[in-house]
Amino acid sequence: MSLLIIYLISSWLPTLLSNSGISLSKASFLAAMFQVGGTAGAILIGRWMDRFNPHLVLAIAYLIAAGFIALIGISGGALWLVVVAVFGAGFCVSGSQVGANALAAAFYPTGNRTTGVSWASAIGRSGSIVGSMIGGLLLSLQLDNQSIFLIAAAPALIGSVAIFMMGRQGCRHVVTPAPFERAV
């Protein structure tokens, strides 16, 4: 779900914003804010995952991401609000993707770790292909931006529920750092 959102937004955000009356140069700047937010999110979400339950941190981040993605569509073209929404979506989605990769490595027992993470990555990459295609499909249906971003928020909600349920099931193989490792 994460890579689906990342590629959908990265591929189509400038087009969607320019279709709503924002100049292409401003739309390109706004698209860059998604990546800036992702960089900040990777650092802070990773830190929070070290301090708190990583499943809960990611579930909350994906839930908040859904709100930011929806906000992009309902911002009404208010530039400052679009900047905040795009940065927030990048922070939560791209930042969580980095955290999900780290969590996947800790999820599998040592003997199966390489295969497990490879399968998780492959499935995620299929989401990246589907994300770009969904963006094109939504544009071809001539939906307005509000509808497109509300639909784009759904994968973040699905990701939030999935990672929360994964954490509730108690993953036996997840490696928790020893107390002295947390201080480093």
Side-chain angles (χ1 to χ4, degrees), residues 14-76:
T15 302
L16 290 167
L17 293 177
S18 67
N19 287 349
S20 68
I22 295 175
S23 72
L24 193 54
S25 63
K26 285 182 183 174
S28 297
F29 166 77
L30 290 168
M33 292 307 296
F34 185 79
Q35 302 304 330
V36 172
T39 302
I43 295 166
L44 289 175
I45 289 172
R47 185 86 172 139
W48 296 330
M49 286 176 65
D50 286 341
R51 291 180 169 241
F52 306 107
N53 178 330
H55 294 94
L56 187 58
V57 169
L58 291 178
I60 290 169
Y62 284 123
L63 184 63
I64 294 169
F68 279 124
I69 293 166
L71 183 60
I72 296 169
I74 62 175
S75 64

Side-chain angles (χ1 to χ4, degrees), residues 9-154:
I9 290 177
S10 295
S11 298
W12 296 106
L13 186 62
T15 302
L16 290 167
L17 293 177
S18 67
N19 287 349
S20 68
I22 295 175
S23 72
L24 193 54
S25 63
K26 285 182 183 174
S28 297
F29 166 77
L30 290 168
M33 292 307 296
F34 185 79
Q35 302 304 330
V36 172
T39 302
I43 295 166
L44 289 175
I45 289 172
R47 185 86 172 139
W48 296 330
M49 286 176 65
D50 286 341
R51 291 180 169 241
F52 306 107
N53 178 330
H55 294 94
L56 187 58
V57 169
L58 291 178
I60 290 169
Y62 284 123
L63 184 63
I64 294 169
F68 279 124
I69 293 166
L71 183 60
I72 296 169
I74 62 175
S75 64
L79 198 56
W80 71 271
L81 194 53
V82 176
V83 170
V84 169
V86 170
F87 180 88
F91 184 97
C92 293
V93 176
S94 291
S96 293
Q97 177 60 41
V98 173
N101 289 340
L103 192 59
F107 176 76
Y108 297 99
T110 305
N112 299 11
R113 188 163 295 150
T114 303
T115 302
V117 171
S118 295
W119 271 99
S121 294
I123 291 168
R125 290 294 163 197
S126 67
S128 67
I129 295 165
V130 171
S132 294
M133 290 173 28
I134 286 174
L137 174 67
L138 294 175
L139 281 171
S140 73
L141 295 173
Q142 298 180 352
L143 298 174
D144 62 351
N145 280 4
Q146 183 175 359
S147 299
I148 290 173
F149 284 108
L150 288 175
I151 291 167

